[in-house]
Amino acid sequence: MTATQLSATRSALTVLVVSAAAFLASLDLFIVNIAFPDIRRAFGTADLGAMSWILNGYALVFAAFMNPAGRLGDRYGHRRIFLWGLAVFTVGSAACGISGSFVMLVAFRVVQAFGAAMLMPSSLALLLAAVPATRRAAAVSTWSAVGAMAAALGPPVGGLLVELSWRWIFFVNVPLGLLALAAGPWVLAKTKPTGAGVPDLFGALSLVLGVGALVWALIELPVAGNGTNVVVATVGAGCAMALAVWRSLRHPSPALDLAAVRVLPMWSSCLALLLFAAAFGAMLLSSVMLLTAVWGKAPDVAGLCLSPGPVVVVIMSLTLAGRLIGRLGVGAVAATGATLYVVGIVIWLCRVGPQPDYVADFLPGQLFTGAGVGLVFPSLSAVTGLALPAHRWGAGSALINTARQLGTVLGTAVLTMIYQPGIDLDTIRRGWEFTAAAAGTAALIAAALALWRTTTTEQPQRDDKMPSERVCAT
């Protein structure tokens, strides 16, 4: 085998290993949705607000600690941080499976999230380092497609596993995690440490407390007899998030890489991704609730009903997203995908009724939302490799993923707030209206980025352009 063939093989294996890890981390974000009824029966009668912390606790810690973890990868080497994160995630998964109480389950979900936060940014940095520049858009599309597919596959896979026991939604990670841990040291190449500073863990904790308090306030608002606690939580959330931003402006290795946010493609993509992720997270939870709580389908049947969406995600991501990004640019592809997503939600609003009619009423909208996800996530995730220099890939990918996970937390919190009075077709529809509004706003931001790109391509090219300017002009 020639050196070129060896390099190509190693690149392919790297994509496989890091995508498998990203699959597990993203799968566990939404796999618990379909298991909510079984978990409630196992641990008592926790309400929907309490149950949402099984999802929000994971997503919140995942989001807040990804940027510090990306910095750790830049400082100590991404392979080392990736493997440590994968080990923590695997142990946390096993602990979730054997949890004896609701509190223990939430606590071990936090452990899982720490592992996921460590492996996710380093997985993208390892992929970008292993793949030639000419193939990075396609490789990132594959990586992002796997993550989006895993998130969408959460309810279908969870529905099948719940038939055995809800604990299997966590145990399933263990053999896959061990396999990736065994292959990682042989497949993944070492990346050169940059000597970056120690990340600001206090700033990350401030972000967790701030967003967590805001999420709690949103969830409790509809059922709070006394609004004082909600007001106190909201004020505390604002103070904690302001502290996180203040420290990020002054710390050499901040929890939020605000320097990267100043690059136009990064901040606009992060904002669009946050809004679209809110729509995506709300859509997945609302779909589960429609099928199980309103239409009365069993978890395994509901999971199968949700499976066409992930199939469309994979098809769009792997066959079209990479090529369209190269031809049209990130903004145009993301705007198109978000628009298709809104069309799918509008179909549901117009057609879905109290009587189950999956093929005529639900499936068409599902195909449009799947197509939208398959275009939006790969395109916006590809910005890191285009807008930032190589030594910033870890921090940049962490920033993109932080926006995505924070969006998921906020989308789930808003939907839980809408559902607090009770889950019926009316509240499902109000959730869809929120979903369409969030995705539509993301489409407008992406379209503005595409328009700016078109304008810049008409200007004379200069050799002294900043990287961000060159990205939007290519």
Side-chain angles (χ1 to χ4, degrees):
M1 185 177 291
T2 65
T4 302
Q5 290 174 323
L6 283 172
S7 177
T9 301
R10 186 163 194 171
S11 295
L13 290 174
T14 297
V15 173
L16 178 63
V17 171
V18 300
S19 296
F23 180 90
L24 293 178
S26 299
L27 181 70
D28 264 50
L29 190 58
F30 293 107
I31 197 171
V32 299
N33 288 353
I34 202 76
F36 272 10
D38 290 71
I39 296 174
R40 290 181 69 179
R41 283 193 293 270
F43 295 131
T45 56
D47 61 19
L48 181 63
M51 291 296 298
S52 70
W53 285 103
I54 300 176
L55 175 61
N56 286 335
Y58 180 91
L60 182 56
V61 173
F62 191 7
F65 284 93
M66 264 194 291
N67 197 63
R71 295 282 185 172
L72 286 174
D74 291 337
R75 179 180 174 86
Y76 297 110
H78 288 289
R79 187 176 76 167
R80 176 182 298 177
I81 299 302
F82 175 87
L83 293 175
W84 272 105
L86 187 56
V88 171
F89 178 85
T90 303
V91 171
S93 297
C96 286
I98 62 174
S99 295
S101 68
F102 181 79
V103 173
M104 286 180 62
L105 177 58
V106 174
F108 287 131
R109 285 283 283 171
V110 170
V111 174
Q112 264 192 315
F114 274 113
M118 292 173 69
L119 69 86
M120 202 69 172
S122 287
S123 71
L124 184 53
L126 288 167
L127 182 144
L128 292 171
V131 176
T134 55
R135 294 171 49 207
R136 279 178 189 147
V140 171
S141 293
T142 301
W143 177 87
S144 181
V146 168
M149 177 185 67
L153 272 174
V157 173
L160 296 175
L161 293 173
V162 164
E163 288 298 297
L164 300 173
S165 168
W166 65 265
R167 298 181 186 275
W168 276 99
I169 65 177
F170 303 111
F171 287 148
V172 71
N173 297 327
V174 177
L176 297 176
L178 293 175
L179 185 61
L181 275 171
W186 301 94
V187 172
L188 303 176
K190 291 184 179 180
T191 57
K192 184 178 180 181
T194 62
V198 177
D200 182 16
L201 298 180
F202 183 79
L205 180 61
S206 298
L207 184 62
V208 168
L209 294 176
V211 179
L214 177 61
V215 168
W216 183 88
L218 288 173
I219 292 173
E220 292 298 316
L221 183 62
V223 295
N226 183 354
T228 303
N229 291 338
V230 173
V231 172
V232 171
T234 303
V235 173
C239 293
M241 287 188 285
L243 177 61
V245 171
W246 180 80
R247 288 185 63 88
S248 295
L249 290 172
R250 289 160 176 78
H251 199 280
S253 298
L256 295 171
D257 191 350
L258 299 181
V261 176
R262 296 190 187 104
V263 179
L264 175 63
M266 287 297 296
W267 73 256
S268 56
S269 295
C270 285
L271 180 58
L273 192 57
L274 184 145
L275 290 168
F276 189 80
F280 180 60
M283 181 272 291
L284 287 180
L285 183 56
S286 67
S287 297
V288 170
M289 294 304 173
L290 170 73
L291 294 172
T292 57
V294 178
W295 282 3
K297 296 186 181 295
D300 57 334
V301 175
L304 290 175
C305 289
L306 294 172
S307 59
V311 173
V312 178
V313 170
V314 174
I315 293 172
M316 296 297 290
S317 298
L318 298 183
T319 63
L320 287 178
R323 285 183 287 179
L324 290 177
I325 291 169
R327 293 179 183 178
L328 304 177
V330 166
V333 176
T336 301
T339 302
L340 290 174
Y341 191 91
V342 173
V343 170
I345 301 298
V346 171
I347 290 173
W348 287 341
L349 285 168
C350 294
R351 295 195 59 86
V352 171
Q355 298 302 317
D357 193 344
Y358 171 77
V359 174
D361 295 344
F362 190 79
L363 181 61
Q366 193 178 18
L367 298 179
F368 275 95
T369 56
V373 171
L375 292 179
V376 173
F377 282 143
S379 58
L380 296 180
S381 297
V383 170
T384 296
L386 300 173
L388 298 176
H391 70 276
R392 300 287 300 283
W393 284 343
S397 62
L399 187 65
I400 285 287
N401 280 288
T402 298
R404 180 170 169 173
Q405 304 310 326
L406 286 178
T408 299
V409 171
L410 294 176
T412 303
V414 171
L415 198 69
T416 304
M417 178 183 70
I418 294 171
Y419 288 172
Q420 280 286 42
I423 300 174
D424 54 28
L425 187 59
D426 287 338
T427 54
I428 294 287
R429 291 175 64 85
R430 286 200 291 273
W432 284 338
E433 290 168 357
F434 160 74
T435 301
T441 306
L444 292 176
I445 295 171
L449 178 60
L451 181 63
W452 189 87
R453 169 189 179 272
T454 302
T455 303
T456 57
T457 56
E458 297 172 356
Q459 303 301 321
Q461 300 295 307
R462 307 190 315 268
D463 292 334
D464 60 342
K465 282 187 176 181
M466 295 295 289
S468 61
E469 293 179 284
R470 290 196 296 270
V471 168
C472 290
T474 58

